[in-house]
């Protein structure tokens, strides 16, 4: 099936007991076992089935299956937030005393997690500037467990060299984890060599802005057994699960050792499960994702062209307008449009930026991206303003920078709002 069909049909055609076509909300904590033998088989993973909603739930399973198919992966796991997804994606294979290598171009919340909270947990993050992909190699040593990056990181919006870095990582038996939150449908990191994909479903997957959620998708394309010395947690008996060896336990189920461990160890122990109700809302959003992304991208491109011509704007940051190196990377990795995030620089700096935001009438001023509605934020509204000038510049955000997340409203209304806000700022 093609993407547009997968998001409507994969994982659920009708509910067997009621014939319901819409995916039901299985709002239950528990599932009745047939017998003590049945319960024992489920717990020992001899048979797969529902046990308890903290570990799995049939409504979440439909979302997981649709996203697995959309990404071309092997299996997925839904979580309570995008933050939980990034944390668990790394923690599943990177423990105290280990290190991992991350692109510097990250969402601020992920940056904090990696540089502060993980540090407190004894996990070292080594940051590498993706402008020099070859430097990922220098940062890898025998205790490195993964490389982490975002496909389309804001504010720089320079697409990550997924294939180039996946190749470097895989030559050292190190998998690549990619946060594809800003580019669902338009980019398929697994097809380019990434091994794990992470999402904040809070953004485009939902699109409606009503729920917080996250996902980890296992590409099933990394040989954890062949990299046995690096990944003892997947290749030696796990005391936390009756001595299970995950690469062995997963054999009858498919190449899913990584996500199986994440589910039955970390989701079980840390408890950051997605609620079935939120999964239901994400399923409603996902049904229209391809159509929405097409409109998001079409509108964003028109906004970029409009802003480029405005005399108050000194610079527009959008993948299709970048210098050759980044433009060709964007064409390679963003197959269905250049995304809907866009930055621009006002000639008159920070005060003009604040005025512009305050003048907006249609755009919402919020700390979010990927809503069907158009959104805007100025760094002065966030903790970014508390960074030193040098730190601010290193993030790619300059004083007059404004970030837009372009929605799917009619383009004339979007442009009219931008025009009036600019002329009054
Ligand atoms: N990854 C990216 C790229 C994000 O933009 C965000 C949130 O803004 C997250 C992860 C975290 O997601 P959540 O807010 O769902 O925890």
């Amino acid at each position: 099936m093609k993407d547009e069909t997968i998001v409507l049909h994969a994982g659920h055609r009708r509910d067997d007991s009621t014939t319901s076509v819409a995916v039901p909300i299985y709002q239950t904590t528990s599932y009745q076992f047939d017998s003590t033998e049945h319960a024992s088989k489920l717990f020992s993973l001899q048979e797969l089935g529902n046990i308890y909603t903290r570990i799995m739930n049939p409504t979440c399973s439909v979302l997981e299956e649709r996203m697995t198919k959309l990404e071309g992966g092997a299996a997925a796991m839904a979580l309570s937030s995008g933050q939980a997804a990034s944390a668990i994606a790394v923690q599943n294979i990177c423990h105290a005393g280990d290190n991992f290598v991350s692109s510097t171009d990250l969402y601020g919340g992920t940056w904090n997690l990696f540089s502060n909270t993980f540090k407190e947990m004894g996990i070292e993050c080594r940051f590498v500037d993706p402008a020099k992909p070859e430097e990922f190699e220098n940062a890898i040593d025998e205790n490195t467990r993964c490389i982490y990056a975002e496909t389309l990181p804001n504010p720089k919006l320079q697409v990550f060299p997924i294939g180039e870095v996946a190749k470097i990582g895989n030559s050292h038996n190190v998998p690549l984890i990619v946060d594809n939150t800003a580019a669902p449908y338009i980019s398929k990191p697994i097809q380019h060599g990434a091994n794990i994909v992470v999402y904040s479903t809070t953004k485009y997957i939902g699109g409606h802005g009503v729920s917080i959620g996250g996902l980890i998708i296992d590409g099933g394309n990394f040989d954890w057994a062949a990299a046995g010395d690096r990944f003892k947690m997947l290749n030696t008996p796990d005391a936390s699960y009756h001595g299970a060896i995950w690469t062995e336990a997963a054999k009858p189920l498919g190449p899913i050792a990584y996500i199986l461990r994440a589910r039955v160890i970390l989701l079980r122990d840390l408890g950051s499960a997605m609620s079935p109700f939120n999964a239901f809302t994400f399923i409603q959003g996902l049904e229209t994702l391809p159509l929405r992304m097409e409109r998001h991208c079409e509108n964003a491109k028109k906004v970029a062209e409009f802003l480029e011509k405005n005399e108050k704007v000194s610079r527009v940051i959008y993948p299709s307008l970048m210098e050759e190196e980044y433009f060709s990377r964007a064409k390679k990795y963003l197959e269905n449009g250049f995304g809907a995030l866009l930055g621009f620089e006002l000639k008159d700096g920070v005060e003009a930026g604040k005025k512009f935001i305050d003048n907006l009438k249609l755009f919402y001023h919020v700390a979010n991206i990927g809503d069907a509605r158009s959104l805007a934020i100025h760094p002065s509204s966030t903790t970014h303003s508390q960074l030193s000038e040098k730190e601010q510049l290193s993030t790619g955000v300059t004083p007059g920078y404004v970030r837009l997340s372009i929605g799917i409203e009619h383009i004339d209304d979007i442009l009219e709002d931008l025009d009036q806000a600019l002329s009054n700022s």
Side-chain angles (χ1 to χ4, degrees):
M1 287 192 283
K2 301 271 193 274
D3 291 352
E4 292 76 358
T5 318
I6 288 170
V7 295
L8 287 160
H9 295 273
H12 175 91
R13 290 281 303 167
R14 57 170 232 177
D15 180 57
D16 285 344
S17 53
T18 62
T19 75
S20 163
V21 170
V23 178
I25 307 173
Y26 288 99
Q27 194 72 26
T28 181
T29 56
S30 330
Y31 307 86
Q32 162 89 343
F33 304 127
D34 296 339
S35 62
T36 48
E37 194 194 344
H38 178 224
S40 150
K41 280 189 174 157
L42 292 178
F43 277 103
S44 64
L45 303 175
Q46 285 173 321
E47 194 178 317
L48 280 191
N50 296 319
I51 299 175
Y52 189 58
T53 282
R54 173 154 33 84
I55 311 170
M56 74 280 275
N57 172 278
T59 311
C60 296
S61 299
V62 175
L63 177 68
E64 289 162 353
E65 187 156 346
R66 288 191 180 168
M67 286 301 294
T68 300
K69 293 250 160 61
L70 187 69
E71 293 298 324
M77 180 171 94
L79 294 115
S80 55
S81 68
Q83 278 299 111
S86 339
I88 287 184
V90 175
Q91 282 176 304
N92 193 33
I93 46 172
C94 194
H95 303 159
D98 297 341
N99 70 68
F100 69 106
V101 183
S102 174
S103 164
T104 45
D105 293 359
L106 290 179
Y107 160 61
T110 312
W111 174 278
N112 271 329
L113 168 70
F114 289 1
S115 41
N116 298 311
T117 304
F118 273 176
K119 194 171 172 187
E120 285 167 9
M121 295 174 171
I123 297 173
E124 183 200 350
C125 178
R126 301 175 170 182
F127 287 106
V128 170
D129 183 348
K132 299 175 194 129
E134 63 287 355
E135 293 203 354
F136 280 85
E137 180 137 39
N138 304 333
I140 295 173
D141 67 16
E142 73 277 11
N143 292 324
T144 303
R145 305 288 174 245
C146 59
I147 300 174
Y148 192 100
E150 289 180 15
T151 309
L152 181 58
N154 85 70
K156 288 187 195 160
L157 302 177
Q158 292 166 349
V159 171
F160 187 76
I162 300 174
E164 292 83 341
V165 176
K167 209 165 151 198
I168 293 173
N170 283 207
S171 72
H172 293 274
N173 279 334
V174 173
L176 173 65
I177 303 177
V178 173
D179 178 339
N180 201 41
T181 297
Y185 171 71
I186 60 177
S187 182
K188 299 291 175 70
I190 293 170
Q191 285 176 15
H192 295 288
N195 306 104
I196 311 291
V197 172
V198 167
Y199 273 104
S200 163
T201 52
T202 313
K203 321 294 178 194
Y204 294 101
I205 305 298
H208 36 49
V210 303
S211 305
I212 300 278
L215 270 168
I216 304 175
I217 298 138
D218 184 340
N221 58 350
F222 189 83
D223 193 342
W224 303 99
D229 284 349
R230 243 186 230 288
F231 299 104
K232 293 207 169 65
M233 73 295 281
L234 293 172
N235 288 292
T236 55
D238 194 335
S240 180
Y241 212 94
H242 328 294
I245 299 173
W246 297 112
T247 45
E248 294 293 322
K251 267 187 188 150
L253 309 170
I256 61 163
Y258 168 90
I259 206 78
L260 184 62
R261 181 182 192 276
R263 185 182 290 282
V264 301
I265 301 290
L266 293 186
L267 204 51
R268 181 197 65 180
D269 293 357
L270 301 180
S272 27
M274 182 183 283
S275 88
F277 179 77
N278 283 359
F280 174 79
T281 68
F282 291 127
I283 289 167
Q284 307 316 301
L286 184 59
E287 289 186 348
T288 57
L289 177 78
L291 268 180
R292 279 187 288 112
M293 289 312 288
E294 279 168 25
R295 174 64 78 84
H296 275 296
C297 295
E298 188 187 312
N299 279 354
K301 194 158 176 281
K302 287 181 183 157
V303 168
E305 286 159 7
F306 166 83
L307 290 172
E308 261 207 315
K309 288 188 215 125
N310 192 291
E311 58 185 20
K312 294 198 172 174
V313 174
S314 55
R315 190 166 66 109
V316 180
I317 301 112
Y318 190 65
S320 67
L321 303 178
M322 287 182 186
E323 63 196 74
E324 182 48 34
E325 182 190 353
Y326 290 109
F327 179 47
S328 58
R329 206 184 279 166
K331 279 192 291 188
K332 181 170 172 191
Y333 293 117
L334 305 180
E335 288 125 61
N336 279 318
F338 293 110
L341 297 178
L342 184 152
F344 69 96
E345 181 85 30
L346 281 158
K347 279 184 194 155
D348 292 340
V350 67
E351 288 311 314
K354 285 186 194 173
K355 240 180 178 177
F356 168 80
I357 295 278
D358 291 338
N359 286 341
L360 287 167
K361 293 193 169 82
L362 181 73
F363 278 65
Y364 287 87
H365 180 201
V366 296
N368 196 21
I369 57 164
D371 197 294
R373 303 158 190 86
S374 288
L375 316 173
I377 198 154
H378 184 259
S380 67
S381 325
T382 71
T383 51
H384 190 270
S385 58
Q386 287 152 25
L387 298 176
S388 71
E389 201 176 321
K390 192 167 162 239
E391 284 170 325
Q392 289 194 18
L393 287 175
S394 75
T395 64
V397 172
T398 40
Y401 185 94
V402 175
R403 181 184 78 196
L404 302 178
S405 171
I406 303 300
I408 60 173
E409 300 94 342
H410 195 286
I411 188 63
D412 293 352
D413 295 323
I414 294 175
L415 296 182
E416 191 181 308
D417 196 32
L418 292 173
D419 194 34
Q420 66 78 22
L422 277 167
S423 41
N424 295 318
S425 53

